[in-house]
Amino acid sequence: MLKILFDKDKLDTFAKVTNKKPITILDILEKIRLHISVPQCDVFGYLSIENEIVVLIIPVDKHPKALQIEACNKEAERIDSLINSDSPTLASHVPLSALVISQVQVSLKLSSSANFTREQEGACNVFHFDKLPSFDEI
């Protein structure tokens, strides 16, 4: 899991200059997804009540193996490093250059107590949680 702080003013400026529409969390997640190199991992996220972008990089399999979880954790650590080093790789994608700092928290297992269903919405997966996982479970 990544917690990312962003520059709202930069995002607002990008939105005005590029397409006159606000930049959404889904826009940012789609750009982060482009930087994930492990095909068994996908990117999901939301805006927290603390106004941070929370990003989950998790295996797409229903019952992931430990190696898949480890690979997704490494991807999260790599994205964290790119954000914190202000990497030109990320800055080349307009909304991602507004990401200021990131904090990574890796998971040793995927919670089995969080029941969810997944449905396709455009290019992104949307999850509907019966019960949100707690930070201890992630």
Side-chain angles (χ1 to χ4, degrees):
M1 173 177 66
L2 295 166
K3 289 184 178 181
I4 304 170
L5 295 179
F6 60 95
D7 185 339
K8 184 181 180 323
D9 293 333
K10 251 188 189 179
L11 288 177
D12 290 342
T13 301
F14 294 152
K16 287 177 189 171
V17 171
T18 56
N19 59 7
K20 307 284 191 248
K21 294 187 318 190
I23 294 174
T24 67
I25 297 299
L26 286 177
D27 295 332
I28 293 170
L29 294 174
E30 286 174 358
K31 296 298 184 187
I32 290 174
R33 185 174 286 116
L34 297 174
H35 296 277
I36 300 298
S37 58
V38 177
Q40 291 86 7
C41 300
D42 205 355
V43 177
F44 308 95
Y46 59 92
L47 185 64
S48 75
I49 59 173
E50 291 90 15
N51 211 30
E52 300 169 321
I53 301 171
V54 177
V55 176
L56 302 171
I57 300 173
I58 59 174
V60 293
D61 291 347
K62 189 171 184 174
H63 302 289
K65 300 198 177 353
L67 185 61
Q68 291 170 310
I69 294 170
E70 179 64 23
C72 294
N73 286 343
K74 292 294 182 196
E75 287 293 296
E77 290 170 350
R78 191 173 60 76
I79 298 295
D80 175 69
S81 176
L82 290 172
I83 293 169
N84 289 330
S85 66
D86 199 22
S87 168
T89 303
L90 287 185
S92 65
H93 290 98
V94 172
L96 299 186
S97 62
L99 304 181
V100 177
I101 192 165
S102 172
Q103 178 184 12
V104 68
Q105 179 181 353
V106 295
S107 172
L108 300 176
K109 64 182 179 76
L110 197 59
S111 171
S112 60
S113 66
N115 297 321
F116 59 85
T117 57
R118 181 179 7 181
E119 62 185 51
Q120 289 294 120
E121 184 173 289
C124 295
N125 290 309
V126 177
F127 283 84
H128 301 284
F129 287 90
D130 295 335
K131 173 190 148 204
L132 287 177
S134 69
F135 285 112
D136 296 334
E137 295 174 323
I138 296 178

